[in-house]
Amino acid sequence: MKNGKEQKTVTIIVEGTPHDWPKKQEITYAELIALEVPDYSQHPEITYSVKFTKGNGNKPAGVLAPGGSVKVKEGMIFNVSETGQS
């Protein structure tokens, strides 16, 4: 048994840009937006719409709401768009 467990990753696509993410982990609404909008935390007045496709079998597509999360899968695609003020 190995002690130095190597963490496997999957590649997810956020607005056309590939990102590595730990396999078998969830990604949150805030983490997704931070990948696309690095200064997201400095602008809490802006809200975003997060949609995904190519997800897991029980939920292959959908919308991620603020505070929500979704389990990642290799090749999963996320679209992040600004929706204006909350």
Side-chain angles (χ1 to χ4, degrees), residues 10-20 32 35-36 51-54 73-80:
V10 293
T11 300
I12 59 172
I13 311 298
V14 182
E15 288 298 317
T17 304
H19 296 275
D20 288 332
L32 272 163
L35 288 174
E36 178 60 20
K51 296 178 183 172
F52 63 90
T53 57
K54 297 192 177 181
K73 177 182 162 192
E74 180 66 38
M76 203 166 175
I77 298 173
F78 294 92
N79 293 314
V80 176

Side-chain angles (χ1 to χ4, degrees), residues 2 15 19 21 25 33-35 54-55 63 65 74 83 85:
K2 283 185 180 175
E15 288 298 317
H19 296 275
W21 198 260
Q25 295 239 346
I33 294 170
L35 288 174
K54 297 192 177 181
V63 176
E74 180 66 38
T83 59
Q85 299 200 339

Side-chain angles (χ1 to χ4, degrees), residues 14-66:
V14 182
E15 288 298 317
T17 304
H19 296 275
D20 288 332
W21 198 260
K23 189 175 182 173
K24 296 188 178 180
Q25 295 239 346
E26 293 192 341
I27 190 165
T28 66
Y29 171 89
E31 288 168 333
L32 272 163
I33 294 170
L35 288 174
E36 178 60 20
V37 185
D39 65 349
Y40 164 63
S41 62
Q42 296 168 30
H43 299 282
E45 74 283 0
I46 301 172
T47 56
Y48 294 86
S49 169
V50 178
K51 296 178 183 172
F52 63 90
T53 57
K54 297 192 177 181
N56 288 296
N58 63 341
K59 195 167 184 186
V63 176
L64 196 55

